Amino acid sequence: MTSNSDKLIIGGREFNSRLMVGTGKYASFEQTARALEISGAEIITVAVRRVNLDRSKESLLDYIDPRKYTLLPNTAGCYTADDAIRTCRLAREAGMSDFVKLEVLGDEKTLFPDNEELLKAAKVLVSEGFTVLPYCSDDVILCKKLEDIGCAAVMPLGAPIGSGLGIRNPYNIKIILENVKVPVIVDAGVGSASDAAIAMELGCDGVLMNTAIAGAQDPIAMAEAMKLAVIAGRLSYKAGRIPRKLYANASSPLDGLFL
């Protein structure tokens, strides 16, 4: 376990877990709830446009205890700033949260962010008092602009949404980490536990994933694997790895040997 003093702080809120998970693509609401529990995640993303807000009917929200989890409504499926802003306002009016994951997509094939529309939406939402966590490209200039606007974190993609390709450009992530002061959370592209550990070993503050768990052959086992990977990656980063060397370096020193 990580130290109690090593908390993730986003927008003034403290969290023990650095793993954030989504709630889509599971076989049932029951499976969703079990995976959330096993993952140890405290921040749970919910797609506002895909959840039934009519509480008189069965809804995903019936299976998420608001006392245990912090809801992070997201704007999945929005392709313009106006749509994303409207969706966030709806989430707040429905009593979900003003703590939002902002997605403004550029096209249906790649699901890459539309950076221009993202910046426009972020500026409006921050001005309206939302705590904004934007899903964005792994572009340091964009991340700096989002930070300057007042976003509480930046969430650069590791790879395209749902691709499972892992972190395609760790060097960009490192540059972002060196240049922004808000938390950096890798969002999208994680496929295995090793991908999550790599993100954390780079120095990222957290990892957000959905398909990697929900789409696994055994989502419950994968949820536990991701929990452990994030913990291990964080501990490894804080411990400080040894320098890479081209040649061997004996593990047992030769000094003091009696021949």
Side-chain angles (χ1 to χ4, degrees):
M1 294 294 290
T2 54
S3 166
N4 286 334
S5 63
D6 184 33
K7 294 183 182 294
L8 172 61
I9 301 175
I10 303 177
R13 308 185 197 194
E14 293 186 354
F15 303 95
N16 294 305
S17 175
R18 292 174 180 270
L19 173 61
M20 307 175 190
V21 296
T23 52
K25 302 183 179 180
Y26 288 94
S28 65
F29 290 149
E30 289 81 5
Q31 186 184 68
T32 306
R34 182 62 177 152
L36 298 183
E37 180 182 2
I38 292 296
S39 75
E42 295 169 88
I43 299 176
I44 306 300
T45 68
V46 177
V48 179
R49 300 180 68 169
R50 294 171 185 159
V51 69
N52 182 11
L53 297 177
D54 181 359
R55 303 308 295 274
S56 66
K57 301 176 182 178
E58 186 180 42
S59 167
L60 169 65
L61 299 178
D62 297 329
Y63 294 81
I64 299 176
D65 185 348
R67 296 167 298 180
K68 185 174 182 180
Y69 302 112
T70 294
L71 285 182
L72 183 64
N74 71 59
T75 59
C78 292
Y79 289 84
T80 68
D82 287 343
D83 279 350
I85 292 166
R86 247 191 324 268
T87 301
C88 289
R89 289 170 177 164
L90 174 63
R92 182 158 67 180
E93 289 170 7
M96 293 178 71
S97 182
D98 59 3
F99 195 60
V100 295
K101 175 188 169 184
L102 177 62
E103 293 182 30
V104 187
L105 303 177
D107 69 85
E108 295 183 5
K109 184 177 181 180
T110 66
L111 300 181
F112 283 137
D114 182 324
N115 297 332
E116 184 178 355
E117 291 292 293
L118 180 69
L119 286 166
K120 189 189 302 183
K123 187 172 184 178
V124 171
L125 291 169
V126 168
S127 73
E128 294 184 2
F130 285 90
T131 300
V132 180
L133 286 68
Y135 160 69
C136 60
S137 302
D138 56 347
D139 177 338
V140 66
I141 305 304
L142 174 64
C143 288
K144 281 292 295 176
K145 288 181 177 181
L146 289 165
E147 178 183 40
D148 292 344
I149 284 171
C151 291
V154 291
M155 306 178 78
L157 55 84
I161 291 174
S163 68
L165 290 173
I167 297 177
R168 296 295 82 198
N169 198 334
Y171 305 105
N172 275 20
I173 300 295
K174 286 290 289 183
I175 293 170
I176 292 168
L177 285 163
E178 290 172 4
N179 285 277
V180 303
K181 296 180 175 62
V182 295
V184 176
I185 299 158
V186 164
D187 180 11
V190 169
S192 67
S194 60
D195 296 333
I198 287 169
M200 298 306 296
E201 287 182 327
L202 285 171
C204 293
D205 298 279
V207 182
L208 191 153
M209 65 186 73
N210 184 187
T211 306
I213 296 176
Q217 294 182 29
D218 185 340
I220 307 305
M222 187 60 81
E224 184 173 14
M226 292 301 186
K227 171 186 176 180
L228 297 174
V230 168
I231 292 172
R234 179 66 177 176
L235 286 173
S236 177
Y237 168 72
K238 294 198 74 181
R241 64 158 292 135
I242 62 171
R244 291 180 172 87
K245 297 180 180 179
L246 184 59
Y247 295 103
N249 184 21
S251 297
S252 300
L254 299 178
D255 296 342
L257 276 180
F258 295 98
L259 300 178

